Amino acid sequence: MRLPNLRQLHMFRILMQTQNVTEAARQLNVTQPAVSKMIASLESSLGVRLFRRVRGRLYPSGDASRLLIEVERLFVQLEALNDGMEGLRSSQAGTVAISAIPSLASSVVARCLADFARERPDIRTLLMSENSANMITQVGLHQVDLGFMYNHPGPDKSLTAELVAELEVVAVLHRDHPLSEHQVLTPQVLDGHSVILWEQNTPPSQLVREAFLREGLVPRDQFETNSSSVAKAMAAQGIGVALIDPTMMPGHSDHELVMRTFRPRIPLRIFCIQSIYRPASQLARRFLEEFRLTMSGLAAQLPVNAGQDERESITSNS
C-alpha cells in the first residue's frame, strides 16, 4: 500500500466537509475532474472504497469516516508543529540550555535567564552550575547550547570561545570596616588587613597575589574560598575584605556591605563557548544577545569612577 501524500489528505478532508465535488473544487481552486481523480487515486492507494455516488451526490463510506478521524488528528499535529516552528522563528518557544561556572550561574546568568523567560512564558530553560572542565564536556556533547566561564578555555578544535563581556575584580567589605571610607583599595591600603581571596590555583587569585608582590607585599590571605558568594558572606561578617567578581553585587539585599574599586585593575573576561558542530538555536542566540546587554549595563555600574581624587593622589605619591 502506498501512503497518501498531504495534498491528497487535504483534498479528502475538504471533500468530507463539503460532501460536494463542485464546492470542494471551488475551495481547493482546482477543477472537478481533478477532485474526482484525487478520489480515485486515494482509493487505489488505500485499497478501500471511500465514497458512493448516488444521483450526483457523494456519500462517505464507514472507512472514509474512520479515515477522517485519523486525518483530523494528523492535521491538528501539523498545526501544532507549525505553531512550534513559528515560536522558534520568533524566539518565543523552545528550550535554551546553559552551563556556567558557579559564580556566574548563581548571579548574573540566573538573573538574565529569569528576565529572558519572563518575557517568553512558553520556553523551557536548563541552567547547570559546573566547573570549567565539566562545562566544556557538556558543550562538546551538545548537552547544553551555551557555556559561560571566566578566561579562555584554551585550544579546542570542537569549540568556539567568544569574549562577551569584561568586568574587573572589586573589593567588598562591611560598611563598618576601617577601610570602608576609602573609595579605592590597593595593595598598599590593604597591607596588614585580612583579605578574602579565591583559592590559589584560580587565575583571578593569582593576578591579585601578583599585584601585591609587585609592591613588595604579601596579602594577608587569612581566608580563602572557591566561591564568590561565600566570600561575600564572609565579608558581611566583617572579618575581611573580599576581592571578588562584581556579579554578586547587583540587587544584593545586604545593606551592611559596600563595594569599592580595587587597583591595579584585575580584568575578568567572560567567554561564551559553543560547539562548532551544532549551531546555536535562534532562541540561544537571542539569549546571548540579551546577556551581552546585561553585562554591558553591569560593567557601567562598577564604581570605577568613584574616588577619582584618591586614585590621582595614589598615582602622584607612587
Side-chain angles (χ1 to χ4, degrees), residues 59-275:
Y59 292 89
S61 66
D63 288 328
S65 298
R66 285 189 289 272
L67 177 60
L68 181 62
I69 294 173
E70 299 302 324
V71 169
E72 291 291 355
R73 183 180 294 124
L74 172 62
F75 276 88
V76 167
Q77 293 172 341
L78 287 174
E79 289 170 6
L81 174 62
N82 183 65
D83 291 342
M85 295 299 293
E86 287 296 328
L88 291 176
R89 281 192 288 270
S90 61
S91 300
Q92 297 298 317
T95 300
V96 57
I98 295 170
S99 184
I101 59 173
S103 61
L104 294 176
S106 63
S107 57
V108 67
V109 174
R111 290 195 296 271
C112 190
L113 190 59
D115 291 340
F116 189 75
R118 198 172 289 117
E119 297 175 359
R120 299 166 176 82
D122 293 328
I123 71 169
R124 295 184 68 254
T125 66
L126 172 67
L127 176 56
M128 304 293 290
S129 177
E130 296 286 356
N131 61 39
S132 298
N134 288 344
M135 185 195 314
I136 290 172
T137 299
Q138 290 175 334
V139 173
L141 294 176
H142 304 156
Q143 295 172 344
V144 296
D145 302 304
L146 308 171
F148 293 95
M149 62 196 306
Y150 282 126
N151 302 308
H152 196 283
D156 189 323
K157 293 182 179 180
S158 67
L159 300 176
T160 63
E162 177 186 1
L163 179 64
V164 293
E166 182 170 319
L167 303 175
E168 61 182 68
V169 170
V170 296
V172 174
L173 60 163
H174 194 279
R175 66 184 316 108
D176 293 333
H177 192 282
L179 299 181
S180 63
E181 296 303 316
H182 292 261
Q183 296 301 313
V184 179
L185 299 180
T186 66
Q188 295 97 327
V189 174
L190 288 168
D191 187 30
H193 292 272
S194 294
V195 292
I196 306 166
L197 299 178
W198 287 290
E199 54 189 338
Q200 293 194 32
N201 62 347
T202 60
S205 179
Q206 293 170 356
L207 291 173
V208 168
R209 296 172 193 278
E210 289 173 7
F212 276 81
L213 289 175
R214 283 196 298 271
E215 303 299 326
L217 302 172
V218 176
R220 188 181 173 191
D221 54 348
Q222 188 175 354
F223 309 103
E224 191 176 286
T225 178
N226 64 348
S227 167
S228 288
S229 60
V230 171
K232 172 186 168 184
M234 296 171 74
Q237 300 302 313
I239 60 175
V241 177
L243 299 177
I244 60 175
D245 66 272
T247 61
M248 297 288 108
M249 298 305 291
H252 76 98
S253 58
D254 192 339
H255 302 296
E256 298 301 308
L257 288 173
V258 294
M259 180 168 62
R260 299 290 184 254
T261 299
F262 178 75
R263 288 294 179 267
R265 184 176 185 273
I266 308 296
L268 292 172
R269 298 180 176 91
I270 300 177
F271 285 85
C272 175
I273 62 173
Q274 302 180 52
S275 169

Side-chain angles (χ1 to χ4, degrees), residues 39 64 126 210 215-216 233 287 299 310 315:
I39 295 173
L126 172 67
E210 289 173 7
E215 303 299 326
F287 174 79
E310 183 166 350
T315 302

Side-chain angles (χ1 to χ4, degrees), residues 11-30:
M11 294 179 74
F12 167 76
R13 187 184 186 207
I14 296 298
L15 192 56
M16 289 291 288
Q17 292 170 355
T18 62
Q19 296 192 18
N20 184 289
V21 173
T22 302
E23 178 60 19
R26 188 190 68 78
Q27 290 190 23
L28 293 166
N29 196 29
V30 297

Side-chain angles (χ1 to χ4, degrees), residues 4-12 28 30 34 38:
N5 58 47
L6 286 177
R7 178 172 173 78
Q8 287 177 317
L9 295 179
H10 176 58
M11 294 179 74
F12 167 76
L28 293 166
V30 297
M38 180 279 299

